[in-house]
Amino acid sequence: MISHTTRAALAAGLLASSVACGRVASSAEAAEAGVQQPLAPRLIVFITVDQLRGDMLDRYRGDLHLGFARLMRGAMFVNAFQDHAITETAPGHASTMSGRFPSSTGITSNTAGVVDPAFHLLTGARGEVGASPLRFQGTTLTDWLSAKDSRSHALSVSMKDRAAILPIGRSKQDVYWYSVNGSFTTSNYYRDSLPAWVMAFNARRIPASYAGAEWRLSRDSAKYSEPDAVPYENKGVNNVFPHLFPDDTAGAMSYLRATPTMDSLTALFALEGLRQTGVGSGPQTDILAVSFSATDVIGHAYGPDSREAHENEIRLDQTLGWFLDSLYKLRDSNAVMVALTGDHGMSPIPELARARGEATGDQGLRVNLWDQVDAVRAGLHAAGVDTTAFVYDVETVALDRAAVTRAHLKPDSILDAFVRAAKQVRGIARVDRIAQLRKADFVHDPIARRWSHQIPPDSPVDLVITLTRYSYWSSIVATHGSPYDQDASVPVIFYGPWVKPGRYTTFTRVVDMGPTLAAIAGVKPTERTDGVVLREALKP
Ligand SMILES: [Zn+2]
C-alpha cells in the first residue's frame, strides 16, 4: 500500500521533482541572499496554517528540512500574536490581510464567520450550509491592490470555507474550499458555476482514491519522542498509528480532512489554480492565499502534544517543500513574496496538562455557567421579563437594558449579581465589564488588551468572561479560543527578496502583516489599520 503523500504527489506528477529529491535550490535562494530586488512583487503568497502555535516550528525544527525550513530562513518573528481574545479560526483569518482586529472586522467568533444560508454551495454534500463574507466589514490587501490596479486578482483556497473567504474580505475573487463530497467548491456569492479547471480537478476524484489507505508514520517510530497510545487522545479510540481510512469512498473523502493528505490536496489544488487562473503572471501584484487546515483537525482530535501532531508537521513540511519548488517553477522567485502565519495557537488537553503538572490549582478544568445563567433567567421570568433579555454566548453577556428597566429592575444589579455568582465557579479567572477593560493598562494586562481588540465598540456586549489558564468551555478533546498566550501565539514569517532574513524578537501582531505586505507592494491601505509596517524586517 502506498502512503497518501506519495499518492497525492504521484497524482500531480510532482514526485520526481520534489518529494523524492528533497530540497531543490532555485533562484529563490539567490533572492534570499538579496541579489536582486524588483520594485514590487507580482505575486504575494499568503500561507496560513490552522492552529500553528508560535513555538511549534522550533519544537519540531530538527525534523523540518523542506518547506518550513526554507521559510524559516526568511524574516521570522518569534514573539508574534493574534492579539485578540476569542482565538478561533474565523477571527484569526479575518485579521491576516485586513490589518485589523476583530473589533474592527466584525468577525468576532466562528459563529460570526461566513455561514450564510442566503448563498448556496455550487457543489456540496447534503446539509452543507452556504457561505459568504457579508459579515466581514471593511477592506483587505486584496482591495488595496485592486484600488491601485484593477487587474489585480486573488485566488484563495482552503479546506475550510472561513479560511478561504476571510483573508480576502468581501472581494469577489477565485475563492474555493473543500466539501465532504470530495470536491472543491465555492458559493454563488462568488460565481454562478464552477470554472472548467475546478470541475476537471474534481473529476480526478483524488479523495475517493484514499478509500482503504493508511496514514502511517514517515519515520521509524523510535524517532518520535511522544508516546503514541495516550488514553486522552481521541477519547481513547483509534489513537495509534497506522490510522486507517474508511474502506468506502464517502467515508474516505470525509476522513481525509483529519490527515496530512488534506493539506497536500489543498496544495495541489492551489498550484493547479495558479496555472489555470494566471494569478501572478501579469505586471500587477496578485494574491495566492492558501490555508492548510489539517493541523487544526488533528490537533483537536489528538491534542498538540501527540505523535499525530508531530507527524503532521513533518508531512506539512514536505508538502510546503514541493509546493514552493513547484511555485518557483511556475513564477519567477524574484517576483514572489511569501508570508506565513497561523490563525490561532493551541492549548494542551486539560486532563493531560493537570496530570503532568503544567496546569495546577483551578487551571485545566472543564467549565460551564449554565446554572448561573439559568438563575438569572429565572429571576427575569419571575419579574415578567422575557428571558431572552439576558443574552449569554459562552464568554460574553449582553443585557437588554430597556427590557429590564421597563420591569422596574436595575440592569447593573442584574449584571453584578451574575458576576458574583460566576466568580464563585472553579475555573473562572475573571468576569469583566468590557467598558472597564477598554480603559485598562494594556501593557500590564494583556487579557484586557485582547478583549478590547475583540469586541466592536458598538457591540451590545456588557461582560466578558475569562477562564483560568488551560481551562475549556468545551468537551472537545483539545482546543483553543482563550486570550492566553498559548492560544494567541503564532509564527509570523516573511520570505522574499524584499525582507532582511533573521530571527526577530520584537513583539509583533498578525495585524501588522497586511500593512507590511502593502508597503512591500507599494500600495496604501484605503482605511485605518490596527497594524503597522514592520520596517525593521524590510530592506531600505
Ligand atoms: Zn480549531
Side-chain angles (χ1 to χ4, degrees):
M1 186 166 292
I2 57 173
S3 79
H4 62 296
T5 291
T6 310
R7 201 186 280 231
L10 279 169
L14 286 164
L15 192 64
S17 67
S18 54
V19 176
C21 304
R23 193 168 78 80
V24 179
S26 81
S27 57
E29 305 293 314
E32 214 172 82
V35 172
Q36 199 180 352
Q37 186 181 350
L39 287 176
R42 289 180 160 199
L43 181 64
I44 292 171
V45 179
F46 198 101
I47 299 168
T48 312
V49 180
D50 198 320
Q51 205 187 98
L52 188 67
R53 197 172 61 201
D55 63 329
M56 286 179 176
L57 294 180
D58 282 334
R59 177 184 191 169
Y60 302 127
R61 186 158 197 151
D63 290 330
L64 306 177
H65 308 293
L66 297 160
F68 276 133
R70 181 176 200 164
L71 296 177
M72 288 167 82
R73 293 199 298 276
M76 181 171 179
F77 287 84
V78 295
N79 185 21
F81 299 90
Q82 289 274 11
D83 203 31
H84 53 254
I86 301 179
T87 44
E88 294 180 348
T89 288
H93 282 282
S95 291
T96 54
M97 284 192 275
S98 68
R100 292 176 294 120
F101 293 120
S103 57
S104 172
T105 65
I107 305 297
T108 52
S109 66
N110 277 343
T111 49
V114 299
V115 171
D116 188 347
F119 294 93
H120 64 266
L121 302 190
L122 298 189
T123 60
R126 188 184 295 269
E128 282 185 303
V129 195
S132 85
L134 285 180
R135 278 187 293 273
F136 180 91
Q137 293 161 18
T139 57
T140 69
L141 179 62
T142 296
D143 303 297
W144 313 334
L145 291 168
S146 296
K148 183 188 177 197
D149 189 329
S150 61
R151 293 171 295 183
S152 185
H153 183 185
L155 166 66
S156 184
V157 302
S158 179
M159 178 196 99
K160 293 185 183 177
D161 50 7
R162 52 191 176 272
I165 292 171
L166 293 168
I168 301 297
R170 287 191 178 206
S171 188
K172 293 190 177 177
Q173 303 283 340
D174 274 294
V175 177
Y176 305 99
W177 57 93
Y178 184 76
S179 159
V180 289
N181 72 4
S183 64
F184 281 93
T185 189
T186 189
S187 84
N188 68 334
Y189 174 85
Y190 294 100
R191 50 175 67 240
D192 294 326
S193 60
L194 284 179
W197 70 266
V198 176
M199 293 204 288
F201 186 92
N202 289 337
R204 291 160 68 183
R205 303 196 77 232
I206 297 170
S209 73
Y210 281 84
E214 290 182 356
W215 172 20
R216 287 187 303 223
L217 291 173
S218 57
R219 315 166 80 229
D220 189 284
S221 64
K223 301 223 165 157
Y224 297 81
S225 50
E226 310 83 8
D228 195 7
V230 176
Y232 302 114
E233 293 177 10
N234 206 31
K235 301 192 169 158
V237 296
N238 297 331
N239 59 2
V240 293
F241 281 94
H243 291 280
L244 307 180
F245 284 70
D247 284 331
D248 63 298
T249 55
M253 292 186 298
S254 175
Y255 180 75
L256 181 137
R257 297 173 301 167
T259 74
T261 306
M262 186 66 240
D263 289 345
S264 53
L265 185 74
T266 303
L268 275 183
F269 183 75
L271 289 170
E272 181 62 10
L274 196 70
R275 285 186 199 95
Q276 299 290 341
T277 62
V279 160
S281 59
Q284 74 283 357
T285 304
D286 289 341
I287 290 180
L288 171 63
V290 188
S291 177
F292 296 108
S293 305
T295 299
D296 189 63
V297 184
I298 291 164
H300 281 303
Y302 308 100
D305 305 312
S306 60
R307 186 174 290 187
E308 284 81 1
H310 183 173
E311 171 64 14
N312 172 59
E313 295 308 336
I314 294 174
R315 301 292 290 273
L316 182 53
D317 178 56
Q318 294 170 355
T319 294
L320 282 170
W322 59 253
F323 172 76
L324 291 171
D325 288 343
S326 303
L327 174 76
Y328 291 136
K329 289 195 177 88
L330 294 167
R331 299 289 181 268
D332 176 5
S333 61
N334 288 308
V336 176
M337 179 67 213
V338 183
L340 181 142
T341 190
D343 58 343
H344 52 73
M346 184 61 173
S347 290
I349 298 172
E351 294 76 17
L352 206 52
R354 288 183 71 83
R356 62 191 183 203
E358 194 176 350
T360 55
D362 285 349
Q363 297 179 333
L365 302 174
R366 295 189 188 258
V367 185
N368 73 74
L369 289 176
W370 288 114
D371 287 348
Q372 291 69 27
V373 171
D374 287 348
V376 173
R377 288 184 174 154
L380 292 175
H381 183 72
V385 181
D386 193 313
T387 55
T388 57
F390 188 80
V391 182
Y392 170 70
D393 186 12
V394 190
E395 56 273 272
T396 63
V397 168
L399 186 64
D400 183 341
R401 286 169 180 268
V404 299
T405 304
R406 275 197 300 277
H408 307 293
L409 299 175
K410 292 198 170 80
D412 287 320
S413 302
I414 293 169
L415 291 170
D416 288 342
F418 178 78
V419 171
R420 281 194 299 275
K423 281 182 170 173
Q424 300 291 315
V425 176
R426 264 191 95 196
I428 299 288
R430 53 197 279 184
V431 187
D432 294 287
R433 297 280 188 130
I434 184 66
Q436 291 297 319
L437 290 189
R438 294 192 200 282
K439 294 182 251 170
D441 175 349
F442 283 0
V443 174
H444 295 103
D445 189 351
I447 301 287
R449 183 181 73 232
R450 287 177 180 154
W451 277 117
S452 184
H453 291 166
Q454 184 71 39
I455 308 293
D458 60 352
S459 159
V461 164
D462 292 296
L463 303 175
V464 295
I465 307 162
T466 307
L467 295 177
T468 55
R469 199 167 185 198
Y470 303 123
S471 290
Y472 284 3
W473 295 108
S474 166
S475 61
I476 196 166
V477 172
T479 197
H480 49 86
S482 82
Y484 293 101
D485 278 2
Q486 77 269 9
D487 285 350
S489 76
V490 290
V492 164
I493 294 176
F494 298 96
Y495 178 85
W498 295 267
V499 297
K500 292 186 280 191
R503 202 174 156 91
Y504 295 81
T505 56
T506 317
F507 172 73
T508 305
R509 297 91 43 89
V510 169
V511 292
D512 299 327
M513 297 181 81
T516 301
L517 293 169
I520 288 170
V523 298
K524 280 205 160 31
T526 53
E527 66 180 308
R528 186 194 64 79
T529 60
D530 294 313
V532 297
V533 179
L534 297 169
R535 297 222 175 267
E536 66 177 314
L538 300 187
K539 288 181 183 164

